[in-house]
């Protein structure tokens, strides 16, 4: 528990290779969790803007989390997470090989510069099916780019949902898109957002979200 966040971990298994210390690398090679639960709470004070994120050792490890529960206004439940994490002294790299969430399966990657301005680049892709579109697969994609370091950090989020194949004659296409500007260290992080949804039920896409069509 730290800075208003409580994490509960179950069935933790990890693999160590002590010889990696001689190469200036963390001797942790693999981490596996049966369940991870996050419980964010209101912090007693606002955290200062991040300007660096540097470890004393290089890191290269594989990770797996069987299930995740995250408390939020709309709780998040995900399963089957697999990926890798690397830190070479200059940048952090996360690779998401698999994530099962709601009606879809996703893959993605994120790169974060370790020092200011902490440039960030992230992409997420996924395929999913919704109850009202059982015969039509959907493709989801999102990108987050900008900087994370300092009070002036700015991030731009773009995402869309579209059909993967041709539609029947006269059939309207299910679509959704979002473009948002984020100020991560501001009291209101979402500075602006433009969200468009057509013929998509967000409650099926994200359990607990408002129903739309």
């Amino acid at each position: 528990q730290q800075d208003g966040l409580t994490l509960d971990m179950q069935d933790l298994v990890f693999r160590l290779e002590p010889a990696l210390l001689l190469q200036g690398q963390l001797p942790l090679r693999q981490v596996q969790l049966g369940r991870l639960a996050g419980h964010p709470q209101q912090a007693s004070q606002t955290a200062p803007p991040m300007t660096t994120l540097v470890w004393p050792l290089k890191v290269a490890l594989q990770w797996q989390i069987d299930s995740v529960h995250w408390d939020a206004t709309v709780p998040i439940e995900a399963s089957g997470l697999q990926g890798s994490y690397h830190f070479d002294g200059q940048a952090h790299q996360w690779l998401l090989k698999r994530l099962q969430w709601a009606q879809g399966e996703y893959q993605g990657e994120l790169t974060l510069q370790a020092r200011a301005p902490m440039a960030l680049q992230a992409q997420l892709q996924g395929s999913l099916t919704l109850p009202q579109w059982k015969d039509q697969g959907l493709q989801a994609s999102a990108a987050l780019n900008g900087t994370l370091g300092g009070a002036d950090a700015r991030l731009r989020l773009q995402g869309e949902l579209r059909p993967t194949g041709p539609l029947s004659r006269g059939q309207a296409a299910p679509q959704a898109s979002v473009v948002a500007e984020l100020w991560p260290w501001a009291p209101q992080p979402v500075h602006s957002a433009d969200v468009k949804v057509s013929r998509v039920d967000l409650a099926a896409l994200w359990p607990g979200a408002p129903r739309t069509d």
Side-chain angles (χ1 to χ4, degrees):
Q1 181 175 354
Q2 186 176 3
D3 298 331
L5 175 63
T6 300
L7 293 178
D8 296 326
M9 294 179 286
Q10 299 177 10
D11 301 324
L12 172 63
V13 178
F14 56 87
R15 180 166 63 89
L16 297 175
E17 293 185 15
L20 292 174
L21 280 173
L22 300 176
Q23 305 172 26
Q25 186 170 321
L26 186 73
L28 186 62
R29 270 299 195 189
Q30 185 173 10
V31 176
Q32 181 174 344
L33 274 174
R35 178 174 173 80
L36 173 65
H39 310 283
Q41 301 172 356
Q42 185 65 39
S44 58
Q45 58 184 6
T46 303
M50 184 183 299
T51 56
T52 61
L53 183 60
V54 179
W55 311 135
L57 297 172
K58 295 180 180 180
V59 182
L61 62 85
Q62 303 291 319
W63 56 266
Q64 176 178 325
I65 307 175
D66 294 337
S67 67
V68 171
H69 171 83
W70 197 265
D71 282 340
T73 304
V74 179
I76 297 175
E77 294 277 356
S79 62
L81 290 81
Q82 296 179 0
S84 62
Y85 168 70
H86 292 80
F87 174 66
D88 61 6
Q90 301 299 319
H92 306 267
Q93 293 183 318
W94 288 267
L95 177 63
L96 177 63
K97 298 178 181 178
R98 181 177 182 272
L99 161 64
Q100 187 74 37
W101 176 48
Q103 308 294 328
E105 185 170 312
Y106 300 86
Q107 305 82 37
E109 57 183 330
L110 183 151
T111 300
L112 176 65
Q113 187 181 15
R115 298 172 177 82
M118 299 187 73
L120 184 151
Q121 295 180 320
Q123 296 84 37
L124 183 71
Q125 303 85 35
S127 57
L128 62 154
T129 56
L130 299 180
Q132 69 269 45
W133 298 99
K134 293 181 180 179
D135 299 328
Q136 175 63 63
L138 299 174
Q139 181 74 33
S141 63
L144 182 66
N145 296 280
T147 59
L148 190 61
D152 295 331
R154 300 289 185 267
L155 295 167
R156 180 177 175 83
L157 172 66
Q158 294 179 283
E160 68 172 343
L161 180 70
R162 62 182 186 276
T164 57
L167 300 172
S168 303
R169 179 176 298 179
Q171 185 180 26
Q175 292 181 334
S177 66
V178 59
V179 177
E181 184 177 355
L182 309 178
W183 296 6
W185 305 109
Q188 175 51 263
V190 181
H191 177 66
S192 64
D194 180 17
V195 180
K196 299 177 181 178
V197 179
S198 175
R199 302 186 67 79
V200 174
D201 183 4
L202 290 182
L205 184 65
W206 185 333
R211 296 191 66 87
T212 60
D213 188 3

